[in-house]
Amino acid sequence: MTNRFQVTDRFADGAQYVGGRLRAGTSDQEHSVIDPATGESVYTYRLASTADVDEAVAAAKAAFPGWAGATPGERSDALHRLAGVLADWAQDIAEVESLQCGKPLKLTTEFDVPGTIDNTAFFAGAARHLQGQSAAEYTGDHTSYIRREPIGVVGSIAPWNYPLQMAAWKILPAIAAGNTIVLKPAELTPLTSLMFAQAAKEAGIPDGVINIVSGSGRTVGEHLVGHPDVVMTSFTGSTPVGKRVAEVATATVKRLHLELGGKAPFLVFDDADLEAAAQGAVAASLINSGQDCTAATRAYVQRPLFDAFVARVAELMESVRVGDPFAPGTDLGPLVSHRHRDSVAGFVERARGYATVVTGGEAPGGELKNGAYYRPTLIIGAAQDSEVVQSEIFGPVLVALPFDGDDEGIRLANDTPYGLAASAWSRDVYRANRATREIKAGCVWVNDHIPIISEMPHGGTKASGYGKDMSTYSFEEYTQVKHVMFDNTAVAAKDWHRTIFGDR
C-alpha cells in the first residue's frame, strides 16, 4: 500500500467545529476513522454529545443576525474567497477524502473536489440573485412584492458516501441565502466536512456561520433535528432513516428537505448504441464503488440487445482494476467499511438462490484481503419482485433484465418505491422523450447516466424524498417567501371595511 495522508496533526484539537474552532467532543465515547483499504485506524476522536449540539446551535443562532444582515454582495464575495481556498487546498482535501472513504484518488481529484469548488463558485454568484416577483398592483389600490428572507439556523445531516460534496450541498445554499448552519456528518467520515469549515474561516466567513458536530445519528442527529432553535433540517441518507428524521422534525414543525434512497433504472431500447450503453452501464453502476443513490442498479434491456449487452458489460467489468485508492491506475476502491461490504455480499449470496451471477460476486484476496473490497458484479435471471431488483444494495452490483415492448420497459422502470434518477438509451428522439416524460424520477438522463451540474437541481420523488440540492431551486428550501403589500390610496375608510362594519 502507498503512503497515506497524515490527519492526526490536522485534527489534533478534535473533530467538532463550533464557533470557528476545532475542539473535542464531550461525550464519553470515542470513534475511529478507518481506512477501508487497509482496515486500519487513521484517526480517533471523541464523539459529540447533546451538549455539543446545544453549543453549536447557540453559536449559529448568535451569528445569524450579522450574516443575514450582510449584503448579497458581501456573502457572494465570501463564497468566492472560499472557492479560492478550496482550490488551494484541493490536493490535501482529495487525499483525505480518499483516505476516509476508500475512493480512488482519480475520483476525488477529478470529481469530488472540483465539483465542490464549482458548486461553491456557483453559489457565490447565486447569492446575488435571491429574487422575488416584480412589484405590481394586483388589487389596483395596493402594490405587492415578494421578499426572500433567510429562515434562521439550519440543522443538516450528511451521509458517508460523498462527505465533502454532501457537506457543500447542505452548507452552500443555506449560507448563500443568509442562514447559519450546524452540520452533522457521518461519524465514519467527518474529516473533509471539518476541512470545508476550516476553509470557510480562512476565507473570512464569520465564526458561527458554519458549525460541525461529529456524533451518532441516534443521539446527536436526533437532538439536532429536534432542537427548538433549528428551523429547518436537510437530510441525505437512507429512506428508513429519513422516515425517522421526518418524525422528529414534524414534532417541532420544522421545514424539511429529504434526499433519500434510489434504485435507478437504466433503460436500453433496441435502437440504442450498444457499445455506448454498455460503457455507460459499467461507469454508472460502479461510480464510487456503487455507493451512489443515483447509480445505475437495474438495467432493463430490450430483448434483441439483451444477450450482447450482458456479454459486453461482463467483459468491461472484468477489466476494471480493483486496488489501492492511492495507487496509479486503480479504477475501483473498497467500500466504505467491512460491515457495509458484508451487507452488499449478503444481497449477492441470497440472489444466487434465484438468479445467476455472471461475473464478480466475491471479495478479492491477496494483498487486498484486509480491505473492504468487492468485485464488480453483474446479475441476470432475477425476477422483478426479487430483493436485488427492489432493494437498495449500494454497492458495485448491476442487475440486468430483458423487456419486450416500450410500454413494458417503462412500466418496469417505474416498478420500485424509489424515484431519484433514471436513464433512457435510444437513437429515436420521440422514444427517448416519451421515457423522460413517463419515468417517475427527479432526473432522467438520455444516452448518459450520472453527470450532475451545479446549475441544475438534484432531488427525487416517491420514496426518494422531496426538495432539491444545488441550483437556484435549492433556495426554495432555504428561504422564506414573504408577501409585502402597500396601500396606495391614503384613504382612511376603505370600501372593503363595509363588509365588517357600517354601510357604503
Side-chain angles (χ1 to χ4, degrees):
M1 292 292 178
T2 56
N3 292 330
R4 298 296 199 258
F5 185 96
Q6 299 300 311
V7 298
T8 303
D9 292 342
R10 180 66 178 258
F11 304 107
D13 294 329
Q16 317 302 325
Y17 190 85
V18 179
R21 67 180 184 92
L22 283 174
R23 63 174 179 76
T26 60
S27 78
D28 58 0
Q29 295 179 294
E30 288 191 336
H31 186 84
S32 290
V33 176
I34 303 296
D35 177 355
T38 65
E40 297 174 356
S41 173
V42 296
Y43 178 67
T44 300
Y45 68 97
R46 191 168 295 279
L47 291 170
S49 67
T50 56
D52 296 318
V53 174
D54 291 340
E55 289 189 30
V57 172
K61 186 177 180 180
F64 174 70
W67 185 245
T71 67
E74 289 168 338
R75 290 197 294 268
S76 175
D77 289 347
L79 289 173
H80 277 300
R81 294 193 300 270
L82 174 57
V85 175
L86 292 171
D88 290 342
W89 294 6
Q91 186 62 33
D92 285 353
I93 294 172
E95 291 185 14
V96 174
E97 192 79 331
S98 290
L99 181 66
Q100 66 179 355
C101 299
K103 299 170 184 275
L105 194 59
K106 69 176 181 179
L107 182 66
T108 58
T109 57
E110 297 180 33
F111 182 74
D112 296 69
V113 175
T116 300
I117 295 169
D118 182 75
N119 209 226
T120 305
F122 170 81
F123 277 107
R128 290 179 176 266
H129 295 282
L130 283 165
Q131 298 171 343
Q133 194 170 1
S134 299
E137 288 71 44
Y138 295 100
T139 70
D141 291 336
H142 305 83
T143 297
S144 288
Y145 67 88
I146 296 296
R147 290 177 56 88
R148 280 192 177 273
E149 298 179 345
I151 56 177
V153 177
V154 178
S156 293
I157 300 175
W160 48 257
N161 58 330
Y162 289 102
L164 175 66
Q165 286 195 312
M166 294 295 101
W169 287 14
K170 302 303 181 194
I171 292 169
L172 290 169
I175 68 172
N179 303 290
T180 56
I181 189 167
V182 179
L183 176 77
K184 192 200 88 66
E187 56 267 44
L188 289 174
T189 55
L191 301 179
T192 49
S193 298
L194 295 167
M195 294 178 81
F196 189 92
Q198 290 176 316
K201 184 179 179 69
E202 183 79 7
I205 293 176
D207 294 348
V209 172
I210 299 171
N211 305 274
I212 310 292
V213 287
S214 306
S216 72
R218 188 171 298 276
T219 301
V220 169
E222 291 202 10
H223 190 68
L224 177 61
V225 173
H227 198 289
D229 289 333
V230 168
V231 299
M232 175 192 162
T233 289
S234 177
F235 169 81
T236 296
S238 71
T239 298
V241 177
K243 291 178 180 179
R244 176 58 184 161
V245 169
E247 290 175 2
V248 176
T250 300
T252 49
V253 199
K254 285 179 171 46
R255 186 177 297 194
L256 186 60
H257 164 217
L258 297 175
E259 200 266 271
L260 307 178
K263 191 71 177 174
F266 188 98
L267 185 60
V268 182
F269 293 104
D270 58 9
D271 67 334
D273 181 324
L274 178 62
E275 181 64 16
Q279 294 272 351
V282 173
S285 62
L286 300 185
I287 184 172
N288 202 34
S289 297
Q291 300 166 130
D292 186 312
C293 50
T294 63
T297 60
R298 299 177 289 137
Y300 295 102
V301 185
Q302 205 149 16
R303 204 171 296 275
L305 295 185
F306 183 77
D307 290 343
F309 176 88
V310 168
R312 183 58 175 144
V313 167
E315 181 182 27
L316 289 169
M317 281 188 168
E318 288 164 5
S319 73
V320 170
R321 297 163 295 184
V322 181
D324 176 6
F326 287 81
T330 291
D331 296 319
L332 192 76
L335 281 82
V336 74
S337 69
H338 288 78
R339 178 180 179 182
H340 184 60
R341 190 272 310 276
D342 293 346
S343 172
V344 170
F347 277 98
V348 176
E349 291 308 306
R350 291 189 295 273
R352 293 184 192 276
Y354 55 80
T356 300
V357 177
V358 178
T359 189
E362 63 181 3
E367 64 179 11
L368 303 180
K369 65 181 181 180
N370 293 327
Y373 292 92
Y374 200 74
R375 293 195 184 281
T377 300
L378 176 63
I379 296 174
I380 62 172
Q384 175 65 17
D385 62 356
S386 63
E387 181 187 46
V388 290
V389 175
Q390 293 293 322
S391 299
E392 189 173 32
I393 300 172
F394 224 57
V397 179
L398 177 66
V399 184
L401 302 92
F403 72 92
D404 293 305
D406 291 15
D407 291 349
E408 181 188 18
I410 292 172
R411 178 181 61 78
L412 292 171
N414 285 328
D415 185 28
T416 72
Y418 300 103
L420 185 58
S423 63
W425 297 73
S426 173
R427 291 183 172 97
D428 186 327
V429 64
Y430 298 102
R431 206 176 201 183
N433 203 20
R434 178 193 175 189
T436 66
R437 291 195 309 271
E438 296 186 14
I439 293 175
K440 306 303 181 187
C443 174
V444 181
W445 293 281
V446 176
N447 295 328
D448 208 343
H449 191 119
I450 283 299
I452 54 174
I453 50 175
S454 297
E455 291 82 359
M456 289 290 114
H458 175 86
T461 185
K462 298 166 48 178
S464 293
Y466 47 83
K468 300 299 180 184
D469 288 310
M470 298 199 300
S471 81
T472 55
Y473 290 99
S474 65
F475 286 138
E476 302 295 328
E477 318 299 326
Y478 295 99
T479 58
Q480 176 65 42
V481 173
K482 178 186 286 185
H483 170 217
V484 178
M485 179 180 267
F486 279 87
D487 169 61
N488 293 329
T489 66
V491 173
K494 295 177 172 58
D495 186 57
W496 72 268
H497 291 178
R498 66 184 176 82
T499 63
I500 312 301
F501 70 99
D503 300 317
R504 178 173 294 182

